[in-house]
Every structure is written in structure tokens, then in C-alpha cells.
Amino acid sequence: MRTAPTILHLDMDAFFASAEQASKPSLRGKAVVVGGLGPRGVVATASYEARVFGVHSAMPMAQARRLVPNAAYLVPRFGFYRSISEQVMGLLRALSPLVEPLSLDEAFVDLEAGGTAWDEESARLAAVKLRADIRAGTGLTGSVGLAASKMLAKIASEQAKPDGLVVIEPGTERALLGPKSVRILPGVGPATGDHLRRAGIHTVEEIAEAGEDELVRLLGKAHGHGLYAMAMAYDERPVVAERETKSVSVEDTYDVDIHDRVRVGLEVQRLADRCVRRLRGAGLSGRTIVLKVRRYDFSTLTRSETLRGPTDDVAVVREAAARLLDSVDTTGGVRLLGVGVSGLADYTQEDLFAQAAGERAELAEEEQRVEPAEDAPVVPVERRWVSGHDVRHDEFGHGWVQGSGLGRVTVRFETPDSEPGRVRTFSVEDPALAVAEPLPLVPVGCEAAGLRPDLESHCQASASSVPASLPKSWSGKGGGGATSRP
């Protein structure tokens, strides 16, 4: 069993919301909520300023609006967040070949496997430098936990939030875990937590006191053994660099139930296209096509079809999804649709079915390319402007959409390294206004190794504050064996 705290867990602080605040000077220090803005939208991330009012991830957006009506509500920019995540993951992989991403903003790192750390002092030094490098490269902050196991490292990073570093020293784990709620342990969700509570078990220490046999009786053999081991601070799970992808899927929830069967079919085709793009982007193919339909009454149906061989052919996936839809009754309306591919492989089996399906799809597209009659009225399609997304105006430069409606769009013109910008309103059809790509949070070529000017002093301070080696007394020690964050 590992004794040195060389497992690192990084969790970026309020990642989506923090990225939006860094990108938009006018939102810094203010409540920001990122998520779906429709009637059925949910919160993806809330800034710490919004969390003070009780807003949290997975909360219905309508409830968040009631709690903080004056917050900035933005639609996620996943491509932008992914680009920042790639920078951060690159810094982690420079520390060790064993990096286990859990999401865009969270990962485990085995520092010992990379030769980066071998004891508490070297691990702490690596963590301090990592946090400084993340701030210098992205302008964002991350919280870091260090421990001898993945479970404890994650608990430490939670204690470190926001923008901190906590080390759990070997030998102090039981004392630290004992008074905490059973929900802190991996695998203890609401159902298991309620089951334990009904048995009079509320804390980790009470799990240990109950004993392994009692846990097996309550929860079953596998779950009982595993939970008892974690309560005893025993977690031998290794950091796994490559986590096997079991499926690729996409889904959409609609603000208003879809009743038109033709519209449902078109949505399924669109989702199939998106799913295949994601499949190809990962260099994968799959044998099993899955359709998910959630109806007006919240009942959810899943249908699947397994092909003769793996495919990444969009026409094949489209046709399979359409066949699956034929077996589903959508009377009454549909609130969610999803298309997925499982049974993944890293190759594609070309066969006559795929070729024939492709030819049929091409023929159908050709048949749809019909020139409109000369006297047919041309109905203009109103341009759509998404709250929080980037735009550029020929005269005023780069900005972002604050809101739109009634044929108007409101834009605030500012950049990550500017002062808070001015707001202007335009017609949604203004030819001078166009969708733009996000600007980097730290412009390349800026002073101090690519920093925004307002971060240069921080970089210099961080660089000067990280010594070649850290003495044992470098930071004070908090209760339960956890060292307080610098």
C-alpha cells in the first residue's frame, strides 16, 4: 500500500462559470449561472457568487432564476471549455504518464509514476507549481488534493476549494474520515445513504464500528466489503491513464414537447449526424445503435439494434435510428430524444449494407435539391443569437450576446484583457454583426510567458514564491492531519 501522498486530484474551481468570468470583464465578481436557458434547462455550473444564494449544479434553471434573478444566465460554450481543458490536461501529463481525466475540469494524477514526487515534500512542490502554471496559462484557478489514495485525494481537493491545496498526511486518514457523513465515500449515493441512515449509520466512523459483516448483511457482499474498506481508509484503486469508452451518444431536451411525427424523425436524423461526428472524432466505430425517447409523461423508452459489423457511416446510423423510431409510439408528444452507438471498436467493417445505405442517402439528397418556383415567396429565417456566445461587429469589434428577442440583439463589447465594455443593441439582421470564435483567456505573446497584463504581477509573485525545495514547516498543519492551503 502506498504511504506517501503522491496521488493528486485536481478540480478546477466553478470551471464553466469561472471561464465565462475570465472571458467577460463585466461579469467578474458577479453571480454567473451557466446552463440550459429554456423552461426545462438545468444549471451546469454556478459561480461562487451565485452559490452563496443556494444555486448549484443540476438545479432547475427556473429555480435558480428565482433565487438569483439578477445573475448573468449564459448558454455553455463547450468548445471553448474543451480548449482550456486541453491546456490543463497537457500540464498534468507533463507531470506523469498516469493521468485519469474524470471530466473536462477534473483528473487524478499519479505523481510517483512520473518520477515527479516520491514523498510529501516533493508532492507538495509539484502541486504548488501546477497551480501556478494553470493560473499563468489559463487565468483560472484549480484546487488540488494530495493523498496516498484516490478517494482521499478527492476529499482533500474538496476541502481545498476554492483555489487551495490540502495534503492528507499518511497515518491521519482514519481520524479525518471518522466524523464525516457516509455520503463522502465513493459509491454512497442517496439510496445507499438512506439505507445506512435507517440502520442508524450516519458517519464513516459508525460504518467502521458496525463491522464488515453487518455491512455485507445490509448492502450485499460486493458493496459491503468495498464500503467497509473505504471507511477504513483503504483504497487500492490505481490511476488509470486510458479509460475505455463504452458508448458515444448525444441527446436533446426540448423546451416544448414535439408532437409532429415528421419533426421527430428529422430530429432523430440530426442527432444521428451529431453522434457520428463525435464517433469519428474519437476514431471509433460501433455495432449497436441506440435510440432514447422520453415522452410527455416522463416515461423513457430505449430501443437498440445490433449491426453485422462496426460502422461509422452516417447513413447506416440514420437508417437504424429511423427503424428504431418506427417501433416507438410518440403520441402525446416527445420531450427528449437521444441517439447513441455502443459496442465500440477502433476500426470500421465496410460492407454492402453500408455502401447501399450511403447510395440511398445520396439519392434522397439529390431528390430534395429542387429549385423553388419563380413565384414562390421567400420566407427569411431570423438569425439566432445565443446568450453568452461570441460575436464580432465590423465597427465595434469583439463582444458577446447579452440577450435577444423581438428582432433585436444586445451585445456587450469587451475582451478578456479589456476593461468592462459598453452595451449596444442592433437588429438581429444587422449585416455588420457576425458570430465569432472565442478569444483566448491569456493572449499568446503577452508579457510574462503569455499572461494577460493584469496577471503578470501574479505570475512573477508565484514564480518567486516557489522555492527549489520546500521545508517541512513551509505550511501550517490543520486538524485531522490535513495541511492548510497556502
Side-chain angles (χ1 to χ4, degrees):
M1 182 175 176
R2 188 189 303 257
T3 57
T6 54
I7 299 295
L8 179 149
H9 181 260
L10 169 71
D11 196 352
M12 300 294 289
D13 299 320
F15 183 46
F16 296 172
S18 294
E20 296 296 348
Q21 289 176 316
S23 177
K24 302 171 171 64
S26 60
L27 298 184
R28 293 171 192 167
K30 298 182 180 179
V32 174
V33 181
V34 180
L37 302 190
R40 294 171 178 165
V42 296
V43 175
T45 308
S47 69
Y48 286 101
E49 294 86 354
R51 295 181 189 189
V52 171
F53 297 94
V55 180
H56 58 77
S57 300
M59 171 182 284
M61 190 62 76
Q63 183 180 352
R65 288 185 184 275
R66 288 193 294 270
L67 292 172
V68 198
N70 296 323
Y73 290 88
L74 308 175
V75 175
R77 298 184 291 166
F78 289 111
F80 177 54
Y81 309 145
R82 193 171 292 110
S83 67
I84 301 172
S85 174
E86 289 171 356
Q87 286 182 266
V88 173
M89 295 301 166
L91 293 172
L92 298 183
R93 292 187 179 95
L95 295 175
S96 172
L98 291 185
V99 175
E100 183 178 338
L102 304 179
S103 61
L104 289 177
D105 62 339
E106 186 180 2
F108 287 109
V109 184
D110 188 334
L111 297 176
E112 187 174 350
T116 306
W118 48 92
D119 57 12
E120 180 184 339
E121 184 177 340
S122 57
R124 190 193 306 276
L125 178 61
V128 170
K129 185 177 185 303
L130 171 66
R131 292 179 59 236
D133 288 346
I134 290 173
R135 177 65 187 257
T138 69
L140 304 180
T141 63
S143 296
V144 171
L146 287 169
S149 69
K150 290 168 68 172
M151 176 186 73
L152 292 167
K154 185 172 175 63
I155 291 172
S157 70
E158 284 295 320
Q159 291 186 338
K161 283 187 167 295
D163 190 20
L165 165 62
V166 166
V167 180
I168 297 179
E169 298 178 358
T172 66
E173 299 93 344
R174 290 282 306 278
L176 176 71
L177 287 175
K180 296 191 180 297
S181 166
V182 295
R183 291 292 302 276
I184 200 171
L185 298 178
V188 181
T192 302
D194 287 345
H195 198 51
L196 292 171
R197 179 179 53 79
R198 287 194 295 272
I201 299 173
H202 302 85
T203 67
V204 175
E205 185 176 14
E206 288 171 344
I207 289 180
E209 291 173 350
E212 191 168 9
D213 291 342
E214 177 65 9
L215 286 175
V216 169
R217 187 187 69 81
L218 288 171
L219 305 174
K221 189 173 182 180
H223 200 182
H225 284 312
L227 194 58
Y228 181 76
M230 296 226 177
M232 302 298 289
Y234 185 80
D235 178 19
E236 285 288 276
R237 293 176 300 160
V239 176
V240 180
E242 295 295 335
R243 307 182 80 195
E244 182 181 357
T245 303
K246 296 182 178 180
S247 65
V248 173
S249 63
V250 296
E251 62 181 42
D252 276 342
T253 300
Y254 304 99
D255 294 340
V256 179
D257 291 347
I258 302 175
H259 293 83
D260 182 14
R261 183 76 179 187
V262 174
R263 166 83 189 284
V264 172
L266 291 174
E267 288 295 318
V268 167
Q269 288 189 12
R270 184 178 61 82
L271 290 167
D273 293 349
R274 281 173 51 196
C275 184
V276 169
R277 285 198 297 271
R278 184 172 294 183
L279 195 70
R280 289 178 174 176
L284 297 170
S285 59
R287 294 186 62 210
T288 302
I289 314 302
V290 181
L291 175 71
K292 177 180 177 181
V293 180
R294 181 167 297 149
R295 298 187 291 190
Y296 70 99
D297 58 357
F298 287 89
S299 61
T300 302
L301 303 177
T302 303
R303 299 288 184 267
S304 64
E305 175 181 320
T306 299
L307 308 174
R308 287 175 49 186
T311 185
D312 65 355
D313 187 289
V314 66
V316 172
V317 176
R318 271 187 169 200
E319 286 201 353
R323 286 193 296 273
L324 295 171
L325 180 62
D326 288 340
S327 66
V328 176
D329 179 12
T330 59
T331 304
V334 171
R335 60 185 291 118
L336 177 146
L337 289 168
V339 173
V341 178
S342 60
L344 301 180
D346 57 1
Y347 68 94
T348 301
Q349 179 174 314
E350 300 292 343
D351 58 27
L352 295 177
F353 292 102
Q355 182 178 350
E359 290 172 353
R360 288 195 295 273
E362 291 176 4
L363 179 60
E365 290 177 3
E366 287 294 333
E367 291 174 347
Q368 291 174 2
R369 293 181 190 138
V370 180
E371 294 295 327
E374 292 184 4
D375 57 349
V378 178
V379 180
V381 178
E382 185 175 285
R383 298 164 75 190
R384 184 167 177 263
W385 303 100
V386 182
S387 295
H389 285 219
D390 298 82
V391 294
R392 184 168 186 83
H393 192 274
D394 290 347
E395 180 181 353
F396 302 107
H398 192 93
W400 57 279
V401 176
Q402 284 205 168
S404 63
L406 301 176
R408 312 292 287 176
V409 55
T410 300
V411 177
R412 185 181 288 274
F413 291 98
E414 58 187 4
T415 63
D417 56 346
S418 74
E419 295 295 321
R422 296 187 62 181
V423 175
R424 297 181 182 274
T425 300
F426 307 91
S427 164
V428 294
E429 298 300 329
D430 192 325
L433 193 64
V435 174
E437 291 296 319
L439 297 177
L441 298 181
V442 178
V444 177
C446 216
E447 301 90 343
L451 284 180
R452 296 200 314 257
D454 61 314
L455 292 179
E456 182 178 3
S457 60
H458 170 86
C459 179
Q460 293 171 344
S462 297
S464 63
S465 66
V466 181
S469 63
L470 291 174
K472 293 280 185 183
S473 60
W474 179 75
S475 69
K477 295 179 180 178
T483 58
S484 59
R485 57 182 182 263

